[in-house]
Amino acid sequence: MTLPDQASRRELDLARRQLHAIEVFHSARAQAQSALDAVARTREMRMDAARRMEVLRREHHALIGRAHEQLRASCDLLSGTAAPRAVVAHRAGWFADKLVALLEEAQLTVVEQVDNGADAIGIAIVEQPDLLFVEDGLLMVTGEEVVREARRFCPDTRIGAQVEHVSRMEALLEAGADAVATRQTPPLEVSQQLLMLIRA
């Protein structure tokens, strides 16, 4: 098989996984909407329902926004082999910037860098990245929830996570992370762990 044929097969497989993940997400979103519609009318439950709907709206917005860009870029990738792709979700800009630079230096394509958990979920569903890195304290949706959702909708994605305390490592691993580091781990060491994940 020639390299263009291999690249075409890889992109076709990626497109299939993306469409399947989007279909599953929309089904889950419809179920969540139905459940929210049936919620009792207490003030606390309405507020909780509103928060959950805002998260779903944010995830959906990220999913749709990214889908257009990613599907257009897929056409360009069919002509050659593609580098592994990553999504980085972290609130500390300096850490995220350094990690992204290290990953790109190692020939990964970082398709998106965000600080919001809902954005991370929506983008990961569309992108089906080879690697997803999240911190536990993201905005709107925690890193643990992002890992759980990514594991559900992106089964082939390798997931790395970062937590503030060692006591949180087990929870992220149970949620589906492949590797977890603490905030005391420097970006270089984190990047090396992530590269080992996708090259294993």
Side-chain angles (χ1 to χ4, degrees):
M1 182 178 294
T2 65
L3 282 178
D5 289 341
Q6 290 172 335
S8 296
R9 286 179 57 121
R10 183 175 188 269
E11 288 304 311
L12 185 57
D13 181 56
L14 173 62
R16 283 190 186 115
R17 286 187 287 127
Q18 290 169 327
L19 291 173
H20 175 72
I22 291 170
E23 203 173 278
V24 172
F25 174 82
H26 280 301
S27 175
R29 184 172 185 260
Q31 289 174 355
Q33 179 66 52
S34 295
L36 290 175
D37 290 343
V39 166
R41 289 183 168 79
T42 68
R43 182 173 187 264
E44 294 79 15
M45 293 181 99
R46 282 195 313 271
M47 289 173 61
D48 185 52
R51 186 194 82 72
R52 283 184 282 163
M53 279 309 301
E54 180 57 30
V55 167
L56 284 172
R57 277 192 289 273
R58 183 81 182 230
E59 290 172 356
H60 187 252
H61 178 73
L63 185 151
I64 295 301
R66 192 64 192 169
H68 176 72
E69 293 176 34
Q70 201 286 326
L71 293 174
R72 188 175 63 186
S74 289
C75 295
D76 297 333
L77 294 174
L78 288 173
S79 61
T81 58
R85 295 167 311 109
V87 172
V88 173
H90 204 289
R91 287 198 311 169
W94 71 269
F95 184 94
D97 290 345
K98 180 65 175 170
L99 182 62
V100 166
L102 289 164
L103 293 175
E104 289 178 340
E105 188 178 300
Q107 306 304 308
L108 269 73
T109 300
V110 178
V111 295
E112 194 67 70
Q113 177 181 335
V114 297
D115 62 3
N116 186 294
D119 290 344
I121 293 168
I123 291 166
I125 289 170
V126 171
E127 286 294 339
Q128 295 292 301
D130 300 289
L131 174 67
L132 171 64
F133 179 74
V134 301
E135 73 152 314
D136 197 22
L138 294 170
L139 301 171
M140 290 188 80
V141 179
T142 68
E144 183 178 344
E145 292 174 275
V146 172
V147 169
R148 192 169 283 110
E149 291 295 287
R151 188 52 66 220
R152 178 179 173 197
F153 295 113
C154 313
D156 297 325
T157 297
R158 303 307 302 266
I159 303 173
Q162 185 182 56
V163 294
E164 188 162 354
H165 301 291
V166 175
S167 61
R168 291 286 300 144
M169 294 178 86
E170 188 63 30
L172 273 288
L173 289 168
E174 287 178 4
D178 297 297
V180 181
T182 63
R183 290 247 173 91
Q184 289 72 39
T185 310
L188 178 59
E189 192 174 327
V190 170
S191 71
Q192 291 167 345
Q193 290 174 354
L194 296 176
L195 292 170
M196 283 193 297
L197 279 181
I198 61 169
R199 291 174 179 162

